[in-house]
């Protein structure tokens, strides 16, 4: 089936492929620019996201906003989604079966948006999207070529709230992402 973002969101809204569809308050489909060059993918909605239906609006999201601001990227220009569209109870890690049930929606989102860069926010997203043995403390900020786009991973902002010493590395990674985006756009106009 050929989806548009609207029909995909509608299909997702009715989803009960896993048990999280029964416990969610709101589906957290994804928000932002549907033609974004830059896409961020987190893990799963937390409490504030479940209540609002919008990804990364809680404390971790506010910290992500600060990093976007620091490197001159506007949140409205990027697209933000998660591996899971529904909140796991008490914010536990996603189960493999939940990831499998949900990942098709993310794949369709990527197909529709066609970003140049996908940034995994945190270990869980990087392990699902880049490689299963991804080591976030060692491999954050590295680039991985995937067909038409580049992928990288940065620390999850919630991890930075727990360990603020890593914020400097996050800032360096975010600067490199902004720089790579500028380079890709410059190549396109050549
Ligand atoms: N953490 C995530 O991984 N995603 C959100 O949307 C919020 C917090």
């Amino acid at each position: 089936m050929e989806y548009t973002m609207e029909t995909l969101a509608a299909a997702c809204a009715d989803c009960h492929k896993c048990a999280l569809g029964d416990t969610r308050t709101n589906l957290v489909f994804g928000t932002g620019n549907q033609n974004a060059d830059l896409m961020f993918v987190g893990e799963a909605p937390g409490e504030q996201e479940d209540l609002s239906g919008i990804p990364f609006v809680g404390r971790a999201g506010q910290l992500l906003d600060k990093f976007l601001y620091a490197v001159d990227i506007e949140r409205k220009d990027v697209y933000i989604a998660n591996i899971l569209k529904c909140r796991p109870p008490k914010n536990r890690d996603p189960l493999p079966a939940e990831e499998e049930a949900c990942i098709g929606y993310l794949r369709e989102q990527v197909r529709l948006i066609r970003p140049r860069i996908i940034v995994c926010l945190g270990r869980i997203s990087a392990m699902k999207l880049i490689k299963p043995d991804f080591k976030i403390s060692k491999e954050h900020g590295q680039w991985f070529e995937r067909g038409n786009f580049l992928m990288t991973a940065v620390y999850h902002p919630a991890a930075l709230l727990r360990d603020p010493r890593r914020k400097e590395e996050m800032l360096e990674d975010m600067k490199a992402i902004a720089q790579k985006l500028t380079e890709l756009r410059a190549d396109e106009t050549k």
Side-chain angles (χ1 to χ4, degrees), residues 28 41-47 49 54-58 60-61 80-84 91 121 156-158:
V28 182
V41 181
E43 176 182 326
E47 184 182 22
E49 292 76 23
I54 303 167
F56 283 97
V57 289
I80 305 181
N82 282 302
I83 301 279
L84 295 193
N91 298 351
L121 291 166
H156 194 292

